[in-house]
Amino acid sequence: MARTDVGKLSFILLFAPFALWIALLIILPQLGIGYISLREKVGPGEYTFGFSNYVAFLSEPIYWNTLLRTAWMSILVTAMALAVGFPVAYYIAKIAQRRSRAALFLMCLIPLWVSDLVRAFGWIVILRETGLVSSLLQKIGLVSGPVELLYNDATVVMGLVYTVVLFMIVPLVSTLDGMDNSLIEAGYNLGGSRLTVFRRIVVPYAMPGIVAGCIIVFMLTAGSYLTPILLGGKNSMWFTEQIYEQFVTRYNWESGATFGVLLLVFTSFVVWLGLRLTGQSLASTVAKD
Amino acid sequence: MHDLQCESLVKRFGAYTAVNSVSFNVPRGSFFSILGPSGCGKTTLMRMIAGFEAPSSGDIRIKGKSVLSTPPNKRPVKMVFQHLALFPMMNVGENIAYGLRCRGENKADIGGKVARVLDRVGLPGTEHKQVSQLSGGQKQRIAIARCMVLEPDVLLLDEPLGALDLKLRERMKIELKQLQHQFETTFLYITHDQSEALLMSDNVAVMNAGQFEQIGSPQELYNNPKTGFVAGFVGDSNRWSGRVVSLSEGKVRVAIDGGGEVTALAGDNRIAAGGSVEVFVRPEAISIGGGRDEVLGGTVESLLFNGASSRILVRMDNGHLVEVGQAVMDGSVTVSPGEKVQICWSQLHGRAFTTAR
Amino acid sequence: MHDLQCESLVKRFGAYTAVNSVSFNVPRGSFFSILGPSGCGKTTLMRMIAGFEAPSSGDIRIKGKSVLSTPPNKRPVKMVFQHLALFPMMNVGENIAYGLRCRGENKADIGGKVARVLDRVGLPGTEHKQVSQLSGGQKQRIAIARCMVLEPDVLLLDEPLGALDLKLRERMKIELKQLQHQFETTFLYITHDQSEALLMSDNVAVMNAGQFEQIGSPQELYNNPKTGFVAGFVGDSNRWSGRVVSLSEGKVRVAIDGGGEVTALAGDNRIAAGGSVEVFVRPEAISIGGGRDEVLGGTVESLLFNGASSRILVRMDNGHLVEVGQAVMDGSVTVSPGEKVQICWSQLHGRAFTTAR
Amino acid sequence: ETLRLLTWGGYAPDNVIKLFEEANPDITVEVTLSNNEEMIAKLRATGGAGYDLAQPSHDRIFAAQKEYNIYKPLDLSKVGAASLDANLLEGVKANATIDGELYAVPHQWGTSGIVADISKAPNVKGWGDLCNPEYKGRTSMRLRRTILLGTAFGLGKDPFALYADKAAYQKMLDEVTDTLIACKDNVKTYWNGGDDLSTLLLSGEVVVSEAWDSTAFKLYGQNKNLVYVPPETGALAWIDTFVLPRKSEADEAAYKWINFVMKPEIVKLMSDSTGAIAAVKNGIDLLPDDKKAAVKAAFDDKDLANLKFFANIPAGLEDMEGKALERIKAATSN
Amino acid sequence: MNVAAPQSPFLQWLYRGYMLAFLAYLAAPLFAAGMFAFNDSMFPALPWNGFTLDWFFSSTEPKIGMFHDRRLLRGLENSLYIGVLVSALAVAAGTCNAFLFERKQFPGKNVFYILMIVPLVIPGVILGISILVFASMIANGLEETFGIEWDFLRPGLFLVILGQFSFLTTITSLVIAARLRKFDISLEEAALNLGATRLRVLMTVTLPYLMPALFSAFVVAFLVSFENFNTTLMLVGSDAPLTITMYDRMVKVGSTPVLNAVSFFLMVGSGMLALLSVVVQKKDEPAT
Ligand SMILES: Nc1ncnc2c1ncn2[C@@H]1O[C@H](COP(=O)(O)OP(=O)(O)OP(=O)(O)O)[C@@H](O)[C@H]1O
Ligand SMILES: Nc1ncnc2c1ncn2[C@@H]1O[C@H](COP(=O)(O)OP(=O)(O)OP(=O)(O)O)[C@@H](O)[C@H]1O
Ligand SMILES: [Mg+2]
Ligand SMILES: [Mg+2]
């Protein structure tokens, strides 16, 4: 019938860009780095195939320590972003007046408007030994000499939380916004205390938003480059920096690709584990808003 | 003994007074309804009783004790919300057990109580169903069970049938009334649907613009409305505005705008000669033909067949459209559209009220 | 002459048959309703007529010409959608002009036509209002105007009152009927609310599970239902199941499950002695006291006061609950809960149908 | 026509570009800033396309060309070879000739050494002072191969001599790594670019640091206490060169640029911007006056004679060095 | 009363204090970065040497203001070019995807849907390197076997656009699909019923309805493209966008307050853009 032909044609027209995009820009390139990662360099311009790049990774504690460190700090950052962002999202979605809600939300998005670089730059100006905070503290006499607030892990975590907290707040606001206040009222009415209502009603309800926010934040953190580099101290080593080093400083695409694959697999694993533990699915959380 | 007493309750939102000096008592075990149009302050009143709003002034007493300083989660009143507010992330059993667990009852007891209350609302064994698997009527009953398992002194219901469809609503009306009998708990019921209020309640308060217009049994409200608002809001009525010609012995002679004069009972004592009034006559009090006190002429405009509650629309000579009740059961229709007819009713069935400004 | 004819229309979704061999004719200028419970296939039927679904088999003719091969945007039927589907990004005038502009009429004509149709639906001069500024009832009328300006052969309406609130719905029923008179267009109206169908229609088809159970005038359906489904769905009824004891001259003697025997008219010709049947008696046909053909004993359980359509609930000795209509107007209530009473009705008002499997 | 330069920060100052464009109105100059590693990485990724002229250091040509084939030979006759400092040209020739073809000409040279605030750290002499506990938390370095080599010299080794022997080189690297890990406590932070370094030193947050002499000379202009100290084991010297990427598209313009920046008046501007010394005859004399003073304050003839020019890195060693650096970065201190 | 809010005045006060502190935290680095754009000094650091607009407008050495700094302007130009192009592409592709997943039924839809979301959870660096590696593999392959040179497969504008497109499309798809999901399909049927052709329905009903979403998807895509660093870093050639130019400047040359000036300019610019998108959405809201 004519109508189904039209349907088929429009389906093909709609599917083609999608297929090209996913195949050429996502799947094949990933396979590409997978392929490169299996290539071993035996001499200038000569290669064989094998797992030696992976073996090299495993046998070098620096690498997997960095990966573990990155993962562990990313989880820490995720947890902190949740802790910092939840009250804010809750305030925006549930407490603020209708009018101020939009303004607040917009204000929360402000840092999103400028690049990572500018933000990190701002932190450097503020936190360095001769920076704003240090000068201020000296001026009011809280400390006698200059204090160095840069170049340590705490600063990196703080800076990362800063860059990602918005991605936590946005999905949280959108789920909490969908929550009917009468659920909270019912929670109290049936005798729940503040804590009970929060623990048994608000949090379970917000779970999809929490998981979505955590996934995005975790991936962004694990994949971030500038903030850990610029704020991190002499001990900081971020896995993306390793990848960059391999690709750029060491011209070693093979091991760079290996690291890329490992980062992807590892973060995917963490995300999968998170979804598993919370009983959510990718489509129901991240794609919800 | 009264389970719930409200005394001169007032609630202001800024300059706007949502509830204005409302007082009422609900006797133990009775079914009390508050009936009023949308936005008249019903929900606000109920939220004050539940503790979600603090009254601007006035007192609320439950079993004689003021609860003003009791926080909402400690008040012995439970509430069924308009959209039920069943917790979507818990199954039926958990929803019902929620209140018991908040109270800290032990696990074993809880299971038994949940099973028993589910039995009583006619849904035994549904503990493990998800809320989303229930039909509208079943959700309704779970929402009631969730409150009743806590054995509250008063159950508040805020338009609980609003979200249901027509046929189900009809059925749930009767069922709700039966549940109330069964639990022997005091129900405070809010609605804007007069048939719900009339059908189920022992007493109904008609609310308008933050105030109670009248409190009484359904029959009292229907047969003896005290204000024009009640006469118009409770049950169907034909309503004509006019001007008082004369007044004697509780009867008013009214010149209807557009032409014609009728006599009706004076509904309030502010009626004076020359004042403008509204006359209310119920369709089922009017019949076609002559023979009673009040007679007006008109033309049949159309026949609205609706089974037992069919109506005849008559365009009166003064231009007003009048609904006339039609006793169908035996009488096949005797009039047809376009026919000139007379309509009549007894003076006792007309009622005049001063027009509200 | 028929404006719309459907012949053995069938629509299957996979293995599921949503519309099953439906045939009907709608005479020119009449108001035809399809009444049926949710999910019975009403919308599917209408979508086939509008051309949004292709029938699995059967034919649709408009003014005698089959439209099966006409695409939806070329069919001379216009449709008012359940949620109206007014275009939110256009104002009222643009909404109404949309169809005219699609047709390619010239600008000057369009303005005139829009103004005229707005006049006819009683909203003159609202061209520049935004859709969101209209009330529910006004939106309703704009949706109709948008279709009527195109002078369709048939106007389809899919539960257009479903989204309105109670009081407004009552008013719009009457208004819709008047609009149809004014435009003299054929209306095909879908609803699950029997009072809408009865009140407005010249003819009603009762639909159930994809099939038409009966087509007839509202009075026919109400007074002479042809199937148990129609008897139960159109108007309120008491329904008892039982077993045929004897059958003669169109009258059936039925032993009601639980005890008691009654005589009723045989509703269909599949009734046979020993077969299981359902007996339907309308509440308003029943009265308290004795004196008529059929008498049963019971206890008053409760009085459901609802103004003109009040009911008495009687628990019969056989355990069934019976709704008894109460003529209130003059009669103050003479019974009280707990009282032993007899209920009675005329044999002619009872109707027995074979139980559907 | 566009001339796309892939070069170091400061090697294409705006005023020089403006002059060049005035002299050659048909050419517009486009600059991408980079460093040694990135230059090669970029050219590798592009297969030698995308740029018309690049400026890696002289020791980064041979291996990269062998492995990735990213450069193309240069025509020395088109370059005013006569004006170039003969020593430096010979040095570059020795390092960047493959199969008889020359791939690079020198442009600027400079050294890596140590900068110290002499008011606070008057006694700094060599690489080892970066790890001197006296300056705990007040030193800095750049975590790249220079510091490995410098530390090796500081430990009394000659890494260039060990280039031929991988095992020995690894052994030396291990020693250097241990030293630097132990030194980590002493270091405030590792700097990444000239800016980092300047800010750290000018603010006084750091008093002793590994440094490029060019940056050090600039700092001297700001603060006379910040003096460049060539380590007693010899400053490490590098020569930044000009090379043509394999798929460059504007060779003529590239040669024009090379010759343009060799002009004495341009050399002065260029050196002012880079802080480094041009690879032309009397390069030091062509420095701006303040820089010249700084150089004079930093180097005596003995130091100049003791310069250690980077040697070509054999394949494979760079990997070993990279690992060593990673190990240092990843090691924890408190 | 809002039951969701804390009831005791002390807690309410505390909560508000927390919100203020949070907003201060958000604003602090931006404020600091912006402030030093006006410092009359060569370094973006204390001490404060007085107010100046030189870092915006001066055309003389050593303080070249941003509006006279060729390379920064060039970077800005590249960023705008890339941003507009990639956002337009991503919005177009996102619209197709939205229609595909909201309107069509096809086998494996769920799997494809997950695939559509996946780019959002692949770290940007990996997207960058994978596209770089893949494009290089093709380019090298072509060069070695056929001697064909496809330079656009080498790092440069084209790859930057592809790289950003690869994840921006997910964002735009989600934004547009969310709006399309709210679209009442009966609006289209109504238009058809009133006699419109399918194309006309699309142009007069569906696309106007989607317009606010298309616009905000474009703005979001543009902002994200503008500030993207991780993916771009790996793919950039000689036409570097502004962030990369700034980064190069910062680590390789040294930062002067001109970078703060650019930051300030960007903050103001993107702030306006974001405000605009909010206004567009607002205006539309009551109508839906
Ligand atoms: N928190 C509030 N702030 C200001 N005004 C309010 C607030 N809550 C309710 N109102 C106003 O008080 C009036 C009564 O509201 P309420 O919800 O009690 O009406 P209602 O009778 O329940 O109506 P409905 O039948 O529509 O539910 C309304 O005009 C409403 O706008
Ligand atoms: N596209 C479809 N695919 C499969 N089944 C469908 C489709 N459309 C409708 N149905 C099924 O056909 C049946 C009839 O649907 P229809 O919408 O016609 O009911 P209805 O009578 O209009 O109900 P309501 O009063 O609730 O609108 C339903 O069971 C529905 O699930
Ligand atoms: Mg309410
Ligand atoms: Mg339907």
Side-chain angles (χ1 to χ4, degrees), chain E:
Chain E
M1 181 175 84
N2 183 352
V3 278
Q7 303 303 319
S8 91
F10 172 70
L11 282 180
Q12 272 174 18
W13 179 85
L14 201 68
Y15 207 151
R16 242 170 257 156
Y18 176 82
M19 285 302 290
L20 276 181
F22 178 76
L23 290 178
Y25 169 61
L26 286 189
L30 302 185
F31 176 77
M35 180 177 91
F36 286 103
F38 302 98
N39 190 9
D40 193 3
S41 146
M42 288 303 293
F43 296 95
L46 288 176
W48 184 258
N49 290 343
F51 179 87
T52 180
L53 286 177
D54 283 357
W55 293 112
F56 290 89
F57 302 110
S58 163
S59 59
T60 49
E61 292 270 7
K63 289 187 198 165
I64 302 269
M66 63 165 286
F67 293 113
H68 295 278
D69 189 313
R70 283 190 0 154
R71 255 173 259 160
L72 288 177
L73 289 181
R74 185 74 221 228
L76 184 64
E77 201 181 296
N78 283 333
S79 280
L80 288 176
Y81 176 75
I82 294 172
V84 169
L85 204 66
V86 82
S87 310
L89 286 173
V91 166
T95 311
C96 287
N97 289 344
F99 274 94
L100 181 67
F101 285 100
E102 291 302 319
R103 290 293 174 79
K104 299 286 174 189
Q105 295 301 328
F106 51 97
K109 183 167 164 176
N110 288 338
V111 176
F112 285 119
Y113 191 71
I114 299 280
L115 272 180
M116 188 189 84
I117 305 168
V118 154
L120 209 59
V121 292
I122 300 179
V125 183
I126 293 187
L127 277 181
I129 60 170
S130 65
I131 290 176
L132 174 68
V133 164
F134 183 61
S136 301
M137 278 164 67
I138 295 182
N140 291 341
L142 285 175
E143 191 179 344
E144 279 160 24
T145 43
F146 302 109
I148 312 171
E149 303 222 349
W150 277 2
D151 275 348
F152 59 84
L153 289 179
R154 304 295 189 179
L157 276 187
F158 184 74
L159 283 196
V160 170
I161 288 173
L162 282 190
Q164 296 190 353
F165 175 84
S166 68
F167 66 94
L168 286 178
T169 303
T170 300
I171 300 178
T172 55
S173 300
L174 290 178
V175 170
I176 299 170
R179 174 102 180 151
L180 189 59
R181 199 170 308 143
K182 288 196 207 128
F183 181 79
D184 182 0
I185 193 104
S186 63
L187 284 181
E188 279 187 8
E189 292 181 345
L192 267 183
N193 183 255
L194 293 171
T197 58
R198 290 206 172 258
L199 186 67
R200 189 176 183 118
V201 173
L202 189 68
M203 301 310 293
T204 57
V205 176
T206 318
L207 284 185
Y209 177 88
L210 286 182
M211 214 53 213
L214 297 183
F215 183 77
S216 49
F218 185 91
V219 168
V220 169
F222 183 81
L223 288 180
V224 173
S225 152
F226 207 93
E227 64 145 344
N228 181 269
F229 183 84
N230 291 0
T231 308
T232 310
L233 181 64
M234 292 293 174
L235 299 173
V236 73
S238 58
D239 304 299
L242 191 59
T243 23
I244 304 284
T245 312
M246 284 171 68
Y247 176 73
D248 282 348
R249 181 74 69 95
M250 192 164 152
V251 268
K252 289 167 193 157
V253 184
S255 52
T256 53
V258 72
L259 294 186
N260 298 63
V262 177
S263 308
F264 181 80
F265 178 76
L266 291 186
M267 278 185 243
V268 172
S270 46
M272 306 276 248
L273 203 56
L275 265 179
L276 187 68
S277 82
V278 169
V279 168
V280 166
Q281 291 232 301
K282 261 279 155 49
K283 215 174 65 197
D284 165 74
E285 227 132 65
T288 51

Side-chain angles (χ1 to χ4, degrees), chain D residues 5-26:
Chain D
L5 283 178
L6 180 60
T7 186
W8 299 78
Y11 276 39
D14 282 341
N15 48 2
V16 173
I17 292 177
K18 202 184 274 169
L19 289 173
F20 179 75
E21 286 178 350
E22 275 163 19
N24 304 280
D26 54 331

